[in-house]
Amino acid sequence: MSSKTTKTINHITGTIILLAIRVVLVVVVFVIAGKGIKAAYDFGHSIFYAQAVEDAPGHDITVTVKDGDGEKEVAEILKNKGLVDNKYSIIVQAKFFDYEVKPGTYTFNTSQTSREILDQLNDGPPGDETIPDGAGISPVQEETQPDEPFEWLQEDNVSE
């Protein structure tokens, strides 16, 4: 074999190898991008279309939220107890939908969606019926009736 033939074979082989490496890199980029897009879609789906962890009837789980626990701590508790699949989606839901976590002891069911759980956390524990500021209870006014109907029309009460 001549040196010219060897150079040509080496050049062709090098070109094929570079082309194969480029194809592999493009495929890897597409696979990673596809997985990233799927993960982003799944995360968005879990935020706006909340699903329960189990089908009804599920089972009850008691959770205690301490005073000072925020969305992150509560999301971690709910994830550890098996009430939600993704703790980050419940954190985003709480912030996006403007939920406030109130301390207390709650009983949740694994057939509840994360939005239903957040509704319950926002309302407070059962039996914690507080009246919002400015919405006081007005006393019942006594209804007064005159002793005689149309008493006010009598001549003594009419001023001339």
Side-chain angles (χ1 to χ4, degrees):
M1 263 198 199
S2 73
S3 108
K4 188 175 183 183
T5 309
T6 306
K7 284 184 179 181
T8 306
I9 292 174
N10 286 343
H11 179 65
I12 292 172
T13 307
T15 304
I16 291 173
I17 290 172
L18 285 174
L19 182 64
I21 290 172
R22 287 182 180 160
V23 168
V24 168
L25 286 175
V26 168
V27 169
V28 167
V29 166
F30 276 112
V31 167
I32 291 172
K35 288 188 181 278
I37 291 168
K38 182 177 180 341
Y41 173 82
D42 289 343
F43 184 69
H45 189 266
S46 71
I47 292 171
F48 296 106
Y49 183 72
Q51 290 182 301
V53 177
E54 292 180 359
D55 291 332
H59 60 282
D60 291 341
I61 297 175
T62 302
V63 172
T64 300
V65 177
K66 296 180 210 132
D67 195 18
D69 281 353
E71 292 91 3
K72 291 178 184 177
E73 293 84 7
V74 172
E76 185 72 33
I77 292 168
L78 295 174
K79 171 72 173 138
N80 292 340
K81 295 269 189 169
L83 289 162
V84 295
D85 286 327
N86 187 333
K87 69 179 181 181
Y88 300 109
S89 65
I90 201 159
I91 293 169
V92 172
Q93 283 177 339
K95 296 219 183 277
F96 185 82
F97 296 111
D98 205 25
Y99 283 103
E100 181 181 325
V101 176
K102 295 183 179 149
T105 301
Y106 299 87
T107 301
F108 300 117
N109 192 288
T110 53
S111 66
Q112 287 179 285
T113 66
S114 57
R115 291 286 301 276
E116 292 169 334
I117 291 171
L118 283 170
D119 283 337
Q120 208 171 332
L121 287 166
N122 191 57
D123 293 341
D128 183 33
E129 307 300 325
T130 55
I131 298 170
D133 291 339
I137 300 173
S138 61
V140 178
Q141 297 178 349
E142 289 185 29
E143 193 174 315
T144 57
Q145 293 186 3
D147 294 336
E148 292 182 32
F150 306 107
E151 183 178 297
W152 58 276
L153 284 176
Q154 292 178 357
E155 285 184 37
D156 295 343
N157 293 335
V158 178
S159 59
E160 294 180 24

